Amino acid sequence: MQAATASDTTQVSYRGHTFTVPADWDVVDLTKHPDTCVRYDRHAVYLGKPATQQDCPADVLGRTEALVLEPGAGSSEERVAENRTSHTYWATADDITVTASYGENRDEIKRILTGAGLPAAEATPAATSGTRAPGVSVQAVPADATSYQGKGFDRCAAPPTATMNAWKAASPYGAIGFYIGGVNAGCKDQASAEWVQTQYTNGWRFIPIYVGPQAEAGSGSCTGDCVPITDPVPEGAASARDAVAQAQNYGLPAGSVLYYNMEHYNSGREKVLAFLQSWTNTIHELGYRSGAYGSASSLATDLVAANSGGYVLPDVINFARWDEVATTEDRAIPADLWANHQRVKQYDGPTADDPNKETYGGITLDLDNDLLDVGQGGTQPPVQRDTALTYDGPATVSNGSPATLSATLKEKDAGTPVADREVTLTLGPTDALQTCKANTDAQGKASCTIDKVAQPLSAAATVPVKATFAGDEAYKASEATAEVKLQYVTGRAYGLSAHIPVLALPIGIAPTPDTGTVRAADAKTVAPACAAPINLLVLSADTLCAKVETKIGPSSATSTATVEDARIGLPGLPVVALSGVTATATGSCTATTGTADLKLTIAGTPVDVGDLPNYAIDLGPAAKLVINEQIKTANGITVNAAHLTAAGGVDVTIASAASDAYNCA
């Protein structure tokens, strides 16, 4: 491992990958500094596996851009997953495992990972940290894992088993609070399902803490770096779902109490209450019990005041009042609220004057002190809500071009957006199905891109699209179907057509050679064989050819007609001679163009017609020659290189090309 420095960036090489990070980021070798606390609230790159003896403070909150680079499992497959709720990427490749956190600058972390050969732009949605290998099941601890009456403590980094054993034997504590996740959890997870199982077997019980968005960026122990609440209801629900996913990853079963950490705040009461009710409702839907931690003077006071009008309170209140009095009674909380073994009090913690360190079994920790009175309580099975999907993606797609499909998932009755759910979007019939997947955002919208549309052109020029939500513990499955238009083009070209009914022997020549109308949404070329020369007394033409070429990405059609030489000599009119004749028409949904190129003589005299369209020449009474005739249509253009009309219905066209584009909007 090594670091190379440029003026404003540092290149950190680790196990064959080079990460280019800002030069002011710390680079910490954990093998040389095993007591370093791995933190997500500071810009840093940590090299190596975090040690069990990290010297972490009791509370670390907030999230910014940071990297943890660890030895991997030796897999050659490059995989990147992202948990948008907790602002975290996980990546594996070759012999490396990467955990990358981000605060406001997600793009910077994506750039760093992509520059190191880890395709962050292709990250799959992830609800859990993936700390266990795929296919490995987690053994759940019993349902009383979060029930306890007595003293406990909590701290940022979960202590190793040796410390837990020493404290179990010598300390007055029987419960341990540890952080299971959240966008503002500042320490890297040190617990695991195995750690939880071991501590439970050894007699410990748990206070699982989730630190999501806060009332203010500077709430409580935040130092201005905490991600704040912006959209309370969907964010509360998303945090609850993520917390349950993390709890399951740690082996904490349904019925466990999951505590939301809401730091002390001075403003934002309405946001906090809406957020926590959404958290509690969603926690209940998933079969867990809701806990809420916060200051007695802000959160607890506000929850007590909200206890009316159908507001759903958390099942357990965990309130902080650092008065060093170990009791669950408090002046801010009426005796009849949270009265059935539903309280935790955090009665002391570290301050600037007192680090609040305690030593047992020869091992010293700084900590927050808790008194628990939490029973096992009752749980309800998850309640599935009806959902409704609405397709709201583009109305038109084009073969060869990308198409960003989207759909919005909401609760059917309430119309509330459903966030962090995977929606599958499919385009096309069964034999040409194209699929992409995405998770819904806070507004319930899921968007994903089909890189290159490849669909057959039907008579109706439409393509079926379907959005599907498979359902889960909280929400029932739903789907939406729609028809989108498929952009297509048409083109036609021919060398010559003539209708001359005024002679003793009338002349009628159908368009020749003629491509016919070419209708396409794919790339193709239609070019019939060039026509044989025409040699009539009043009309001759040589080397007549026609071609239509269509392209995709986006769809376009170019029609071309050419005639090497042509001569029109009608009685009573000057002889018209043309050479090097070409007519071209190009049409797409973005542009339509037409051109004609030729040399012209009339009665033996050269005529300069220039490049202007629709150049008309009077040939005599009721006779007219139009050069570069351009006729705009509703969807495209027709170009006739030369078009002669005269009395009696005479109509001769030399080199005609047409193109049109459809379903453009």
Side-chain angles (χ1 to χ4, degrees):
M1 63 188 76
Q2 60 182 13
T5 304
S7 60
D8 56 354
T9 61
T10 295
Q11 290 188 330
V12 180
S13 297
Y14 186 79
R15 291 181 170 254
H17 292 263
T18 299
F19 299 82
T20 303
V21 302
D24 58 355
W25 285 25
D26 292 331
V27 180
V28 182
D29 186 343
L30 296 178
T31 60
K32 296 178 180 178
H33 305 282
D35 60 343
T36 298
C37 181
V38 177
R39 302 173 60 158
Y40 294 143
D41 66 331
R42 296 177 177 177
H43 291 305
V45 181
Y46 300 96
L47 307 176
K49 186 175 181 60
T52 58
Q53 65 266 38
Q54 292 183 54
D55 184 14
C56 289
D59 301 301
V60 176
L61 301 178
R63 182 145 304 203
T64 190
E65 294 69 46
L67 296 173
V68 183
L69 312 180
E70 303 179 56
S75 171
S76 60
E77 182 183 4
E78 292 184 353
R79 295 173 51 214
V80 182
E82 180 186 14
N83 186 330
R84 291 292 294 270
T85 303
S86 66
H87 288 203
T88 308
Y89 281 96
W90 295 276
T92 58
D94 303 324
D95 199 22
I96 188 173
T97 297
V98 179
T99 303
S101 67
Y102 59 88
E104 296 181 352
N105 202 340
R106 176 172 176 259
D107 288 342
E108 181 171 53
I109 283 294
K110 287 179 65 177
R111 175 188 59 76
I112 293 170
L113 293 176
T114 301
L118 302 170
E122 302 171 13
T124 57
T128 66
S129 62
T131 53
R132 64 184 188 274
V136 177
S137 61
V138 170
Q139 180 180 357
V141 293
D144 67 346
T146 58
S147 301
Y148 188 71
Q149 285 80 42
K151 288 187 175 183
F153 71 94
D154 60 84
R155 62 193 314 273
C156 177
T161 295
T163 299
M164 296 295 291
N165 289 343
W167 275 50
K168 184 62 180 172
S171 80
Y173 302 112
I176 171 73
F178 71 100
Y179 291 84
I180 63 172
V183 68
N184 286 314
C187 287
K188 188 178 189 320
D189 302 339
Q190 291 303 297
S192 65
E194 294 75 19
W195 181 89
V196 169
Q197 187 69 49
T198 298
Q199 309 321 318
Y200 181 89
T201 301
N202 291 342
W204 289 96
R205 296 300 179 260
F206 305 104
I207 310 170
I209 305 166
Y210 185 90
V211 195
Q214 298 295 304
E216 305 164 300
S219 294
S221 298
C222 298
T223 56
D225 295 325
C226 281
V227 175
I229 298 169
T230 56
D231 198 354
V233 173
E235 288 175 357
S239 295
R241 286 190 292 272
D242 188 46
V244 168
Q246 303 291 355
Q248 292 171 343
N249 206 34
Y250 285 115
L252 296 168
S256 299
V257 182
L258 306 182
Y259 294 86
Y260 194 91
N261 183 334
M262 186 68 72
E263 290 291 299
H264 175 72
Y265 53 90
N266 296 310
S267 63
R269 173 183 180 274
E270 296 303 323
K271 287 193 303 182
V272 168
L273 291 176
F275 182 99
L276 281 177
Q277 180 162 250
S278 180
W279 157 274
T280 296
N281 286 336
T282 307
I283 289 288
H284 287 169
E285 290 166 3
L286 299 175
Y288 284 72
R289 288 190 290 160
S290 166
Y293 163 86
S295 168
S297 63
S298 56
L299 180 64
T301 299
D302 288 342
L303 287 174
V304 169
N307 184 34
S308 62
Y311 187 87
V312 181
L313 292 173
D315 301 298
V316 179
I317 185 68
N318 182 348
F319 63 95
R321 189 183 295 280
W322 289 4
D323 56 7
E324 301 182 16
V325 178
T327 178
T328 57
E329 296 179 358
D330 192 87
R331 63 181 181 272
I333 304 174
D336 61 343
L337 283 182
W338 298 291
N340 187 21
H341 304 291
Q342 296 170 277
R343 297 188 183 191
V344 180
K345 178 183 178 182
Q346 187 182 88
Y347 60 87
D348 202 4
T351 64
D353 299 327
D354 178 8
N356 202 41
K357 294 186 176 184
E358 297 183 16
T359 302
Y360 296 99
I363 300 175
T364 301
L365 296 175
D366 50 4
L367 48 80
D368 294 327
N369 303 90
D370 306 307
L371 182 69
L372 293 82
D373 180 12
V374 181
Q376 191 163 342
T379 60
Q380 57 185 7
V383 178
Q384 283 188 309
R385 298 186 183 184
D386 289 326
T387 62
L389 262 177
T390 304
Y391 175 75
D392 49 19
T396 299
V397 296
S398 176
N399 278 340
S401 297
T404 299
L405 309 179
S406 63
T408 298
L409 180 66
K410 294 184 177 182
E411 293 183 15
K412 187 174 183 179
D413 296 328
T416 304
V418 179
D420 280 347
R421 294 304 198 273
E422 184 178 80
V423 173
T424 300
L425 290 132
T426 59
L427 179 70
T430 303
D431 58 353
L433 204 63
Q434 294 180 279
T435 302
C436 63
K437 298 180 180 181
N439 273 24
T440 53
D441 60 17
Q443 284 70 48
K445 187 168 185 174
S447 299
C448 60
T449 300
I450 304 294
D451 291 335
K452 287 186 178 181
V453 174
Q455 293 298 318
L457 177 61
S458 66
T462 60
V463 180
V465 62
K466 182 166 73 172
T468 304
F469 167 54
D472 57 21
E473 302 97 326
Y475 293 100
K476 294 180 182 179
S478 58
E479 68 176 37
T481 59
E483 294 282 332
V484 297
K485 298 176 183 178
L486 180 64
Q487 288 184 12
Y488 71 96
V489 291
T490 62
R492 184 186 183 190
Y494 61 86
L496 177 148
S497 69
H499 181 63
I500 307 175
V502 296
L503 303 176
L505 294 175
I507 298 172
I509 302 175
T512 185
D514 187 5
T515 63
T517 299
V518 178
R519 179 177 184 266
D522 56 350
K524 63 171 61 177
T525 299
V526 176
C530 294
I534 296 172
N535 290 299
L536 302 174
L537 180 63
V538 296
L539 178 65
S540 63
D542 191 25
T543 315
L544 299 85
C545 302
K547 180 175 72 172
V548 173
E549 183 178 15
T550 64
K551 297 180 180 180
I552 59 174
S555 297
S556 66
T558 299
S559 303
T560 306
T562 60
V563 177
E564 185 174 333
D565 294 291
R567 179 181 178 278
I568 306 171
L570 297 174
L573 297 179
V575 174
V576 175
L578 306 104
S579 63
V581 182
T582 300
T584 304
T586 299
S588 70
C589 282
T590 57
T592 299
T593 60
T595 61
D597 188 34
L598 54 83
K599 292 182 179 179
L600 171 67
T601 62
I602 297 178
T605 302
V607 178
D608 184 4
V609 296
D611 297 325
L612 293 176
N614 301 310
Y615 187 89
I617 301 172
D618 185 2
L619 297 179
K624 181 174 67 172
L625 175 66
V626 180
I627 301 300
N628 190 13
E629 182 179 48
Q630 296 192 9
I631 304 169
K632 296 292 181 69
T633 63
N635 299 291
I637 192 171
T638 296
V639 178
N640 299 315
H643 187 195
L644 186 150
T645 56
V650 172
D651 194 310
V652 180
T653 298
I654 308 296
S656 179
S659 66
D660 294 88
Y662 296 87
N663 288 345
C664 293

